[in-house]
Amino acid sequence: MKKPELPPTRPRSIEALRKATDACRECPLGARATQSVMGEGPLHAVLMVVGEQPGDKEDLLGRPFVGPAGRLFDRAIAELGWRRERLYITNAVKHFKFELRGKRRMHKTPAQREIEACRHWLEEEIARVKPKAFLALGATAARTLLQRPVAVMRERGKWQEDAAGRRVLVTLHPSALLRGDPAQREAAWTAWLEDLSVASDLLLPR
């Protein structure tokens, strides 16, 4: 008598999860990317930072937030007195979506079906890290975490609540500041720091 097939074992570690996402072809992005980019940081980090997707540098190096937007994020958290090694930093989508312009690979916003295909990987990360709260950088991250359309400019800088009752702080992705009007850059930077500072109660000693 044939034994019933058992469901596949779910990855039990972040490293196993990294290998699984690297092999993932549930949407077209994995076939074009260099590698998947999983999150990094301590398990049981108090705050999980979620961006949109890896960029060109992240795709090549296999680490999140190491390109221009990541450097801007590092500058911001340094000003706030946060330590990156206390954060778990990841993206809603694990593979780099791009279009070629000459030899350059230019960022392209993931489609909703690609975001949905990747959502279970983020949920697996959340289950392992068990953060107390989330920092959603940009609309893709905010919508993925809150499971509803999010007007980032209206909801930024305020704690929202996900379906499980966990706090989600919504703000701009740092790439939005890099693309913004140079004349407004200082004001945009100050406003963004104010948004981020709302989470300081979780990260700074009282």
Side-chain angles (χ1 to χ4, degrees), residues 125-184:
E125 281 185 289
I126 293 169
R128 282 151 183 77
V129 178
K130 297 182 176 66
K132 288 185 178 179
F134 301 87
L135 174 59
L137 299 176
T140 295
R143 182 168 185 154
T144 302
L145 290 168
L146 294 170
Q147 286 298 286
R148 63 172 174 80
V150 177
V152 172
M153 295 306 291
R154 187 173 69 241
E155 300 184 49
R156 64 182 293 186
K158 303 170 188 174
W159 286 114
Q160 311 295 330
E161 198 170 277
D162 72 3
R166 296 169 300 202
R167 293 193 294 170
V168 179
L169 178 62
V170 175
T171 188
L172 302 174
H173 193 282
S175 62
L177 277 72
L178 294 174
R179 294 192 303 266
D181 181 353
Q184 301 297 320

Side-chain angles (χ1 to χ4, degrees), residues 7 9 20 31 39 45 50 56 72 96 106-107 118 133 164 168 189 196-197 201:
T9 302
V50 183
D56 183 71
L72 194 64
F96 179 34
M106 305 302 294
H107 165 276
C118 220
V168 179
W189 173 256
L196 296 177
S197 71
D201 64 314

Side-chain angles (χ1 to χ4, degrees), residues 14-195:
I14 293 297
E15 184 54 38
L17 201 53
R18 183 175 289 108
K19 291 177 182 177
T21 57
D22 202 40
C24 179
R25 296 297 182 267
E26 293 176 44
C27 80
L29 301 186
R32 296 191 69 203
T34 305
Q35 59 192 315
S36 68
V37 180
M38 280 294 296
E40 65 180 24
L43 292 182
H44 310 302
V46 173
L47 185 67
M48 177 181 277
V49 180
V50 183
E52 181 189 79
Q53 67 162 348
D56 183 71
K57 293 288 187 186
E58 290 83 1
D59 171 78
L60 295 172
L61 296 175
R63 296 184 59 211
F65 278 71
V66 292
R71 290 194 292 274
L72 194 64
F73 179 74
D74 285 345
R75 177 185 157 200
I77 64 175
E79 288 200 23
L80 292 169
W82 300 3
R83 288 163 45 203
R84 178 166 171 144
E85 59 268 24
R86 292 190 62 198
L87 307 171
Y88 187 90
I89 301 176
T90 191
N91 286 295
V93 174
K94 306 306 182 190
H95 289 104
F96 179 34
K97 182 175 184 178
F98 61 91
E99 59 183 4
L100 286 172
R101 292 184 191 169
K103 294 184 178 180
R104 297 183 68 193
R105 302 189 305 171
M106 305 302 294
H107 165 276
K108 191 173 181 182
T109 302
Q112 190 57 39
R113 65 186 180 87
E114 293 159 347
I115 296 166
E116 284 301 314
C118 220
R119 186 159 62 91
H120 71 97
W121 296 122
L122 179 62
E123 289 172 351
E124 294 242 25
E125 281 185 289
I126 293 169
R128 282 151 183 77
V129 178
K130 297 182 176 66
K132 288 185 178 179
F134 301 87
L135 174 59
L137 299 176
T140 295
R143 182 168 185 154
T144 302
L145 290 168
L146 294 170
Q147 286 298 286
R148 63 172 174 80
V150 177
V152 172
M153 295 306 291
R154 187 173 69 241
E155 300 184 49
R156 64 182 293 186
K158 303 170 188 174
W159 286 114
Q160 311 295 330
E161 198 170 277
D162 72 3
R166 296 169 300 202
R167 293 193 294 170
V168 179
L169 178 62
V170 175
T171 188
L172 302 174
H173 193 282
S175 62
L177 277 72
L178 294 174
R179 294 192 303 266
D181 181 353
Q184 301 297 320
R185 193 160 288 164
E186 186 173 343
W189 173 256
T190 300
W192 191 52
L193 283 180
E194 288 178 1
D195 289 353

